[in-house]
Amino acid sequence: MEDIEDLLAGGVGGAPPGFRLPLNAVGINPKTNKSKRSSSKQDQITASNRDSLAPPSLKIPGTQTIYIKTFGCSHNQSDSEYMAGQLTAFGYALTEVPEDADLWLINTCTVKSPSQSAMSTLITRGRSGKKPLVIAGCVPQGSRDLKELEGVSVVGVQQIDRVVEIVEETLKGHEVRLLTRKTLPALDLPKVRRNNFIEILPINVGCLGACNYCKTKHARGHLGSYTVDSLVERVRTVISEGVKEIWLSSEDTGAYGRDIGVNLPILLNAIVKELPSDQSTMLRIGMTNPPFILEHLKEIAAVLRHPCVYTFLHVPVQSGSDSVLTAMNREYTASEFRTVVDTLTELVPGMQIATDIICGFPGETDEDFSQTVELIKDYKFPQVHISQFYPRPGTPAAKMKKVQSKIVKQRSRELTSVFEAFAPYTGMEGREERIWITEVATDGIHLVGHTKGYVQVLVTGPESMLGTSAMARITSVGRWSVFGEVIETFSSANRETKSREVTKPPCSSNASTCGTCTCSAESCGEERSGGEACNISGNISRQDDHKGTSKKEEEIQQQVVVPGSSVANWGFIDKALVCGVFLSSLTILVLVISIACRVLLR
């Protein structure tokens, strides 16, 4: 097996990020004796007999149809959007119907067993259907020797800018493995958003934590932050493209910048300066663990008070017991978590905080659990994401003595009952709230908007209201959302960027994430492929149960977003290509003149 990096044309450099190599630039020199393949190489390409898979595609490269399935957090969703953008930019078509596709691209989540099991089921289904498979995301990056990955192509979380090459080679019948971590993928790659009004913006990858149950750290690695300038430039670009919500996403937003000498408040203050003064585009700050925001609480509170920033934050606590937090290696105490909540609630009017709980972590006693229940009752959080402990292979927690399964399930049910007894939106009826409308509900009747506190408001109105901000009067309240009527519209959407986005209605149980990233026993049986960035326990914001999902039988209109529509916005690669074309033309002109002169002189 040859290293793909050695097969690039000329042996130097390879394709720039986001660019497809010429069809003859990736050569194949397969070895017939597969038993001698080096297992130490992470980036490999080999010919494969693919006895159980489809024969090589006979279609012209770049004309095939691709099915993309995404599991897990919003960071994964953003990666899928970038991969879809690159594939579409080079001619590939996308489909929501697996059977219609020439190749399946599966972007995976390794946080919990259910999501990985769903991945395995989908791979088996693809093999049975003779579909070429490319597996991306955290599973191949964190568990590269997994049996299910044998005979399929894999791409790591920091190699998404090579997806076109990988798809092309896979369609030729080759097995490709690209897992080596290099530089962060560029933020200005072509992108196909599932919702053209929402930009999921990854601000960093990895984290600084070392939680004993976390598998994501194995995949995403140590903290790697994008620069403030690159993120601000991306914000400017997406606003110009008609985006109305920007979600800052990462494995731990609070840790941003500590590897490059900056911090989260510096980034947030730089971004809010770029947001339109008419509040037509809103910013949502992603999940942050307590340790890294404790020292910046006042600065973060000031940003949350900004009129263009949702007063919502996802801060996972995982347990109300200090002994359990120590066993988890969470690096904070329950008292410090309370400090975060108390400070933000005091300093930010209308502050909404979501949190996560893991029931049945190894060693959790009845007293430990009672402290968790007490914490939840004290604050009556509007959103609590309850999951049972799942041991992940290769983590320290997997070797710890487990709590009996029936006890874990009983605790999960008890805490769910406590949480569902809360009525967080009581008192909102009759109130007038400004909302930002970005989605259509699956009932085909309601539009989905959010208040500044990120409370979901369901209203009726034409789809032309998508991408607008409006004043709504709350007419009734439910457990997970409220209903309202629009009384005034503030702005109009950019019609050229509008697409119908279908959203699932709220789940009836908070203790689920619908069969993917953070399911517990009380699953609602639905599947989610977007949402808040997974924290290191894999929990996702409940508000995001209604975001980024679609009916499987309904194909969503998608739009390729190629950043930079003017010469001033061209990147280095664009300018280099233009210069190359100019120099080539000039060389040809000189040669023609030279030949003409020689002929005339004869």
Tab-separated table of all heavy atoms in Angstrom, residues 157-178:
chain	number	residue	atom	x	y	z
A	157	VAL	N	-11.230	14.005	10.752
A	157	VAL	CA	-11.955	15.245	11.013
A	157	VAL	C	-11.212	16.477	10.505
A	157	VAL	O	-11.826	17.523	10.290
A	157	VAL	CB	-12.252	15.387	12.519
A	157	VAL	CG1	-13.199	14.294	12.982
A	157	VAL	CG2	-10.970	15.365	13.348
A	158	GLN	N	-9.907	16.373	10.329
A	158	GLN	CA	-9.156	17.518	9.827
A	158	GLN	C	-8.703	17.319	8.389
A	158	GLN	O	-7.823	18.026	7.900
A	158	GLN	CB	-7.957	17.803	10.741
A	158	GLN	CG	-8.383	18.305	12.099
A	158	GLN	CD	-7.219	18.755	12.957
A	158	GLN	OE1	-6.154	19.112	12.456
A	158	GLN	NE2	-7.400	18.750	14.260
A	159	GLN	N	-9.313	16.371	7.688
A	159	GLN	CA	-9.000	16.131	6.279
A	159	GLN	C	-10.234	16.318	5.395
A	159	GLN	O	-10.273	15.817	4.277
A	159	GLN	CB	-8.467	14.694	6.106
A	159	GLN	CG	-7.102	14.454	6.736
A	159	GLN	CD	-5.964	14.907	5.831
A	159	GLN	OE1	-6.178	15.633	4.850
A	159	GLN	NE2	-4.756	14.484	6.131
A	160	ILE	N	-11.215	17.051	5.914
A	160	ILE	CA	-12.451	17.213	5.139
A	160	ILE	C	-12.222	18.001	3.851
A	160	ILE	O	-13.038	17.932	2.930
A	160	ILE	CB	-13.559	17.876	5.976
A	160	ILE	CG1	-13.135	19.270	6.449
A	160	ILE	CG2	-13.941	16.993	7.158
A	160	ILE	CD1	-14.262	20.049	7.129
A	161	ASP	N	-11.124	18.747	3.780
A	161	ASP	CA	-10.843	19.489	2.549
A	161	ASP	C	-10.289	18.583	1.444
A	161	ASP	O	-10.014	19.040	0.347
A	161	ASP	CB	-9.887	20.650	2.815
A	161	ASP	CG	-8.622	20.220	3.534
A	161	ASP	OD1	-8.464	19.012	3.817
A	161	ASP	OD2	-7.789	21.094	3.832
A	162	ARG	N	-10.158	17.286	1.733
A	162	ARG	CA	-9.688	16.322	0.728
A	162	ARG	C	-10.818	15.392	0.269
A	162	ARG	O	-10.565	14.365	-0.362
A	162	ARG	CB	-8.555	15.473	1.331
A	162	ARG	CG	-7.380	16.264	1.883
A	162	ARG	CD	-6.498	16.805	0.783
A	162	ARG	NE	-5.869	15.745	0.020
A	162	ARG	CZ	-4.763	15.084	0.411
A	162	ARG	NH1	-4.186	15.378	1.557
A	162	ARG	NH2	-4.250	14.153	-0.358
A	163	VAL	N	-12.045	15.742	0.609
A	163	VAL	CA	-13.150	14.823	0.378
A	163	VAL	C	-13.372	14.523	-1.096
A	163	VAL	O	-13.770	13.406	-1.466
A	163	VAL	CB	-14.445	15.367	1.028
A	163	VAL	CG1	-14.934	16.622	0.317
A	163	VAL	CG2	-15.534	14.307	1.056
A	164	VAL	N	-13.107	15.478	-1.979
A	164	VAL	CA	-13.320	15.245	-3.409
A	164	VAL	C	-12.383	14.154	-3.911
A	164	VAL	O	-12.800	13.240	-4.641
A	164	VAL	CB	-13.127	16.542	-4.210
A	164	VAL	CG1	-13.215	16.264	-5.705
A	164	VAL	CG2	-14.175	17.569	-3.811
A	165	GLU	N	-11.121	14.217	-3.524
A	165	GLU	CA	-10.162	13.182	-3.912
A	165	GLU	C	-10.603	11.810	-3.423
A	165	GLU	O	-10.544	10.811	-4.154
A	165	GLU	CB	-8.778	13.487	-3.337
A	165	GLU	CG	-8.183	14.806	-3.756
A	165	GLU	CD	-6.971	15.130	-2.907
A	165	GLU	OE1	-6.063	14.274	-2.846
A	165	GLU	OE2	-6.941	16.199	-2.287
A	166	ILE	N	-11.036	11.773	-2.160
A	166	ILE	CA	-11.399	10.498	-1.550
A	166	ILE	C	-12.609	9.891	-2.246
A	166	ILE	O	-12.643	8.688	-2.525
A	166	ILE	CB	-11.670	10.709	-0.044
A	166	ILE	CG1	-10.389	11.142	0.650
A	166	ILE	CG2	-12.222	9.443	0.599
A	166	ILE	CD1	-10.604	11.716	2.026
A	167	VAL	N	-13.609	10.712	-2.537
A	167	VAL	CA	-14.793	10.223	-3.225
A	167	VAL	C	-14.436	9.722	-4.619
A	167	VAL	O	-14.892	8.650	-5.050
A	167	VAL	CB	-15.867	11.333	-3.294
A	167	VAL	CG1	-16.957	10.981	-4.302
A	167	VAL	CG2	-16.482	11.558	-1.917
A	168	GLU	N	-13.610	10.455	-5.338
A	168	GLU	CA	-13.244	10.038	-6.689
A	168	GLU	C	-12.533	8.693	-6.680
A	168	GLU	O	-12.820	7.807	-7.482
A	168	GLU	CB	-12.362	11.099	-7.349
A	168	GLU	CG	-13.125	12.337	-7.788
A	168	GLU	CD	-12.294	13.250	-8.659
A	168	GLU	OE1	-11.078	13.002	-8.781
A	168	GLU	OE2	-12.861	14.205	-9.211
A	169	GLU	N	-11.579	8.532	-5.765
A	169	GLU	CA	-10.834	7.273	-5.710
A	169	GLU	C	-11.717	6.122	-5.249
A	169	GLU	O	-11.586	4.992	-5.716
A	169	GLU	CB	-9.617	7.414	-4.788
A	169	GLU	CG	-8.549	8.365	-5.296
A	169	GLU	CD	-8.055	7.983	-6.685
A	169	GLU	OE1	-7.955	6.777	-6.979
A	169	GLU	OE2	-7.781	8.896	-7.475
A	170	THR	N	-12.628	6.399	-4.323
A	170	THR	CA	-13.537	5.351	-3.858
A	170	THR	C	-14.447	4.895	-4.977
A	170	THR	O	-14.728	3.697	-5.128
A	170	THR	CB	-14.367	5.862	-2.659
A	170	THR	OG1	-13.480	6.293	-1.620
A	170	THR	CG2	-15.266	4.756	-2.111
A	171	LEU	N	-14.922	5.827	-5.790
A	171	LEU	CA	-15.779	5.468	-6.919
A	171	LEU	C	-15.016	4.661	-7.968
A	171	LEU	O	-15.630	3.923	-8.754
A	171	LEU	CB	-16.369	6.729	-7.551
A	171	LEU	CG	-17.484	7.413	-6.746
A	171	LEU	CD1	-17.785	8.788	-7.309
A	171	LEU	CD2	-18.745	6.548	-6.734
A	172	LYS	N	-13.693	4.766	-7.977
A	172	LYS	CA	-12.881	3.959	-8.885
A	172	LYS	C	-12.650	2.549	-8.346
A	172	LYS	O	-12.050	1.717	-9.027
A	172	LYS	CB	-11.520	4.630	-9.106
A	172	LYS	CG	-11.573	5.946	-9.853
A	172	LYS	CD	-10.184	6.556	-9.915
A	172	LYS	CE	-10.205	7.956	-10.529
A	172	LYS	NZ	-8.851	8.569	-10.501
A	173	GLY	N	-13.108	2.306	-7.116
A	173	GLY	CA	-12.930	0.992	-6.526
A	173	GLY	C	-11.767	0.895	-5.574
A	173	GLY	O	-11.394	-0.196	-5.138
A	174	HIS	N	-11.181	2.033	-5.201
A	174	HIS	CA	-10.036	2.043	-4.300
A	174	HIS	C	-10.457	2.344	-2.867
A	174	HIS	O	-11.462	3.009	-2.635
A	174	HIS	CB	-8.999	3.077	-4.752
A	174	HIS	CG	-8.519	2.861	-6.149
A	174	HIS	ND1	-8.398	3.883	-7.061
A	174	HIS	CD2	-8.157	1.732	-6.808
A	174	HIS	CE1	-7.963	3.413	-8.211
A	174	HIS	NE2	-7.817	2.107	-8.088
A	175	GLU	N	-9.675	1.861	-1.934
A	175	GLU	CA	-9.890	2.146	-0.516
A	175	GLU	C	-8.906	3.228	-0.091
A	175	GLU	O	-7.702	3.080	-0.263
A	175	GLU	CB	-9.687	0.881	0.313
A	175	GLU	CG	-9.791	1.099	1.816
A	175	GLU	CD	-9.389	-0.144	2.609
A	175	GLU	OE1	-9.339	-1.243	2.005
A	175	GLU	OE2	-9.080	-0.020	3.804
A	176	VAL	N	-9.407	4.310	0.460
A	176	VAL	CA	-8.576	5.451	0.839
A	176	VAL	C	-8.677	5.683	2.341
A	176	VAL	O	-9.756	5.609	2.913
A	176	VAL	CB	-9.010	6.733	0.090
A	176	VAL	CG1	-8.093	7.904	0.426
A	176	VAL	CG2	-9.029	6.494	-1.406
A	177	ARG	N	-7.553	5.973	2.975
A	177	ARG	CA	-7.536	6.315	4.400
A	177	ARG	C	-6.734	7.600	4.573
A	177	ARG	O	-5.548	7.645	4.295
A	177	ARG	CB	-6.901	5.193	5.230
A	177	ARG	CG	-7.654	3.880	5.171
A	177	ARG	CD	-6.972	2.790	5.977
A	177	ARG	NE	-6.989	3.071	7.403
A	177	ARG	CZ	-7.981	2.735	8.212
A	177	ARG	NH1	-9.047	2.108	7.720
A	177	ARG	NH2	-7.939	3.012	9.488
A	178	LEU	N	-7.408	8.648	5.022
A	178	LEU	CA	-6.752	9.925	5.293
A	178	LEU	C	-7.103	10.321	6.722
A	178	LEU	O	-8.206	10.809	6.981
A	178	LEU	CB	-7.218	10.999	4.317
A	178	LEU	CG	-6.610	10.980	2.911
A	178	LEU	CD1	-7.227	12.064	2.057
A	178	LEU	CD2	-5.106	11.150	2.964
